[in-house]
Amino acid sequence: MRKTLDRDKMPRHVAIIMDGNGRWAKKKQLQRIKGHEAGIKAVERTVEYCAKTGIQVLTLYAFSSENWRRPALEVRALMKLLRLFLRRETARLIKNNIRLQAIGQLYRLEPVVRAELKKAMDKTSSCTGMVLNLALSYGSRDEIIRAMKHFFQELESGGKDLAALTPETFHDYLDTAGLPDPDLILRTGGEYRLSNFLLWQAAYAELYFSETLWPDLAESELEEIFLDYQHRERRFGMISEQLS
Ligand code: IPE
Ligand code: IPE
Ligand code: MG
């Protein structure tokens, strides 16, 4: 069994549910927000490692459409951290040729946050390396309903035919239009659920659950996870013999 990464078999799209910041802080008897701050460092490490190993798309679940239900103070602190991250990281993204993108109900973000996000996306728009896709105020069910509404509007206005709706064309209406489906979905923090993340796109994703709390995720574990992915057989409904 290989012990080093095969660069020809890297997942094209890695999507991560970055969970466990609050518990990380609690364990250290710190406030939850300190966990989110430490989480940003793990984001920086992960972005760098994924870009270095040839991942094409990295989607990070940073804030769910359900996370608005958290205490206002925590929501405010998370939004502030997001702004700081965008402001601080843009130069490094450009340097590493990384293009920033976002999915989710971006209209729900505060105007100042939206402006910072737009600025970062504009500045990195001509980068041709990895795509860093931030899921912000993102929820999969909401995304699917928005996509359906968009399709039905086109149907009503006569621009579309119902027969044109297929799993492939439906993807063009989702926030992830233009991106490949995730090959690997990783959740840290020891919970075994998807929490409304990429439900449609996850159809054939390989799932990996780590007990590590997000701020503690190191490069070495990411390497182990990618190695584990490379040892899996993705059959897409077929049988082993058909794959070679
Ligand atoms: C994930 O960590 C970050 C966000 C959801 C924004 P949590 O804040 O959910 O951490 P736990 O699950 O409470 O430990
Ligand atoms: C999922 O984590 C959302 C993000 C990581 C941004 P949560 O901590 O919100 O998920 P639940 O509530 O435990 O399912
Ligand atoms: Mg959590």
Side-chain angles (χ1 to χ4, degrees):
M1 204 141 98
R2 262 185 96 103
K3 290 217 166 54
T4 53
L5 284 179
D6 180 348
R7 290 306 182 96
D8 295 327
K9 280 170 71 180
M10 295 304 289
R12 263 213 299 172
H13 181 174
V14 175
I16 307 182
I17 303 170
M18 310 182 289
D19 197 23
N21 293 351
R23 278 163 286 159
W24 182 92
K26 196 170 176 189
K27 243 174 57 184
K28 295 187 148 43
Q29 293 182 310
L30 298 168
Q31 296 202 317
R32 292 181 58 87
I33 188 64
K34 293 289 170 203
H36 297 312
E37 282 172 17
I40 300 260
K41 299 218 177 69
V43 168
E44 292 168 359
R45 287 197 296 275
T46 303
V47 170
E48 197 161 313
Y49 183 71
C50 287
K52 196 170 76 183
T53 50
I55 304 300
Q56 291 176 26
V57 183
L58 172 64
T59 296
L60 297 179
Y61 203 5
F63 192 84
S64 76
S65 48
E66 287 74 29
N67 287 149
W68 292 110
R69 294 148 86 180
R70 292 194 177 191
L73 210 63
E74 180 166 344
V75 171
R76 220 173 307 142
L78 280 166
M79 290 300 145
K80 194 169 159 203
L81 274 180
L82 173 61
R83 261 170 73 194
L84 282 175
F85 170 79
L86 292 168
R87 204 176 304 160
R88 253 203 352 235
E89 279 306 296
T90 307
R92 198 172 358 179
L93 293 179
I94 296 169
K95 186 171 144 257
N96 293 320
N97 199 22
I98 298 170
R99 181 158 59 87
L100 187 74
Q101 232 181 267
I103 57 172
Q105 310 162 315
L106 304 182
Y107 60 88
R108 285 183 78 181
L109 300 173
E110 274 176 70
V112 276
V113 179
R114 235 167 31 218
E116 203 69 58
L117 180 66
K118 186 177 181 308
K119 206 158 81 186
M121 291 198 296
D122 287 347
K123 282 187 175 166
T124 62
S125 63
S126 49
C127 293
T128 55
M130 188 174 82
V131 171
L132 173 60
N133 182 34
L134 295 183
L136 300 171
S137 187
Y138 175 87
S140 206
R141 287 184 168 178
D142 164 76
E143 177 194 34
I144 290 170
I145 295 296
R146 281 189 287 110
M148 288 187 66
K149 284 183 176 166
H150 184 181
F151 178 81
F152 285 125
Q153 271 162 6
E154 290 191 358
L155 196 69
E156 263 175 32
S157 64
K160 272 273 152 40
D161 191 60
L162 193 56
L165 188 61
T166 67
E168 290 73 30
T169 59
F170 186 62
H171 186 239
D172 297 339
Y173 292 84
L174 293 170
D175 292 353
T176 52
L179 299 176
D181 282 343
D183 300 295
L184 172 64
I185 296 181
L186 158 67
R187 182 175 188 139
T188 61
E191 308 284 5
Y192 299 80
R193 54 178 173 258
L194 290 175
S195 302
N196 206 8
F197 188 48
L198 301 177
L199 301 181
W200 172 277
Q201 299 87 337
Y204 271 101
E206 294 297 326
L207 306 180
Y208 192 106
F209 297 95
S210 166
E211 298 298 316
T212 305
L213 301 173
W214 174 251
D216 288 331
L217 189 76
E219 271 199 10
S220 54
E221 187 176 354
L222 276 170
E223 186 182 9
E224 272 170 43
I225 294 167
F226 291 168
L227 270 171
D228 181 276
Y229 166 86
Q230 292 188 335
H231 289 116
R232 296 189 189 187
E233 184 177 64
R234 303 184 73 193
R235 289 190 288 278
F236 299 99
M238 294 179 283
I239 65 168
S240 230
E241 288 70 18
Q242 292 176 291
L243 296 173
S244 49

